[in-house]
Amino acid sequence: MPRPLALCVALVAPSCFALPAAAQTIFPVDRAEILAGTKFDLKVEFPGAPTAAATKVTINGEDAAKVLGKAVDFKEREDGDGHSAYWIHDAVIAKPGRYNVEATSGDRKATVTWEVFDTAGGGKAKNVILFIGDGLSIAHRTAARILSKGLVEGRYGGDLAMDDMPHMALVSTSGTDSVVTDSANSATAYTTGHKSCVNALGVYCSRSKHNLAHPKAETISELVKRNRGMAVGVVTNTEIEDATPAAMVAHTRRRADYNDIVEMFYAVKPDVIMGGGSPHFLPKSTPGSKRTDDVDYIKKFEDAGYKFVTTKSELAAAKDAPKLLGLFNTGNLDGALDRFILKKGTVAKFPDQPDLTDQVRAALDVLSKNDKGFILMVESGRIDKYSHSLDWERAVYDTIMLDNAIKVAKEFAAGRNDTLIIVVADHTHPVSIIGTYDDDRPGQRLRDKLGVYQDSTVPNYPAPNADGYPEKVDVSRRLGFVFGSYPDSCDTGRPYLDGENVPAVRGPDKDYIANETHCAVPGAARRAGNLPASAPQGVHSADDVVLTASGPGAELFRGRIDNTRVFHNMVTALGLAPANGE
Ligand SMILES: [Zn+2]
């Protein structure tokens, strides 16, 4: 279907409901919530490539450039494409209220409304610690509680640290372009307060051809550094350039642009940066580098006053560093099950990797020295990755690790009454616990071994060690933890003791087909995938995620909220607006 000629926004033209999200032509989009004093790019795309003189953009009836006090950057036939673009870069609106933006070209008109908010009445918190369990779903939480606290006659042996928080909300995660989000646009909602689209970090998804030329929204890291001189920490157990940590600093349409993202980390300079992914920091002349230029970012960070560490021991010795760059693996850090119990993954190659708890302790040591406060984002990122690979035991051990890190943060916050702690996921996976697999049940097939309802007897994982981890996962009575999305694959109903699960492999016609290694396991259930054949792994789901919170500002979280509200409530707790806008 050809694009309709008229600029089109659902609220003014009901017939436009049927259009794809890409038809939105005013950025920020309709119903955007913008923190007073934060920077954003206003972009209007005019189909048909009119001249500047033939277009008009107003805010509350007045010329937009005049209202924003900035020059217009008009690109006729932008990127040689069939549209013209009206840009105002780094716009700032200081006064809260409703702003109606109208874009006119000939007889075509579009309007959007923005809500500019301040944080009046807020400002009770000095610090914010935002924990993101990537892909953390209800079943991960429940399984983590069963494995680390035990379950007797229907009652758990205790609560997880993430359970024992006084405020809770359900968070909806859909993006501007889709029902099901990815980690880039969902983390963007947390770090900018703006909804975005799949694969985008800190930008709206416009028609610009260059990944770095989309309309930007300022991140909370940029804001608190510029506006308040606060400290910023970004801690993950994935590659530091991965979507969730990158959302703290990045503005790019494509989350895979790791080299650009390292440059953006350097531009923002969070005081603490910890994760994996070292090859993108090394100049291309260094063996193992994945950079395409010869910039040595490790040296640049060191020259900027950072202590660079690569192991848990070095991290422990860096307590007094003014700033910290920790890169502990070339890829993702190994998960808790591999590091502590099975010794698989890359543990032999990187035997001295820190735990998320070590990372959080070190980050708090550095960040808490800033008397203006700090914001620390901590991601347990492999809950998601292991859920993609249908490897629930690894995902759940990393949920326990996340919980241990939350415990460290709660101990830091205890008695201070100045630190808001938020625990949330960025999206869910379609996962659930449906019973117990018991090797002693009669029958040969995996389904014969599954006890449901009254036969879903409590599993026999050993009592957890002092860190909450059972030291054996391959027990005779295991959780029946199932995945609702999967490629062609064989389910063994058993943990993968030799390394992370590979459910499917590429077949001769490029479709993904079952990994026959698993099909050879006695009793394994062969299943036809319910995903497109191009998908090698499970996918995310659109279910709401659970948020729990404690500390000053935690009471702002209640009921069902959009993911952008997490940003809204964090900046309110910190009292960040009015910002000075400079
Ligand atoms: Zn994912």
Side-chain angles (χ1 to χ4, degrees), residues 134 183 384-385 388 427 429 540:
D134 200 312
S183 294
D384 173 67
K385 296 184 192 304
H388 280 295
H427 58 77
H429 279 264
H540 302 169

Side-chain angles (χ1 to χ4, degrees), residues 13 72 75 116 150 156 219 235 277 310 312 380 445 464-465 474 487 517 553:
V72 177
K75 295 182 196 306
V116 174
Y156 290 95
T219 65
V235 168
T310 61
K312 176 177 170 169
S380 184
R445 300 169 303 176
N465 63 23
D474 193 19
T517 317

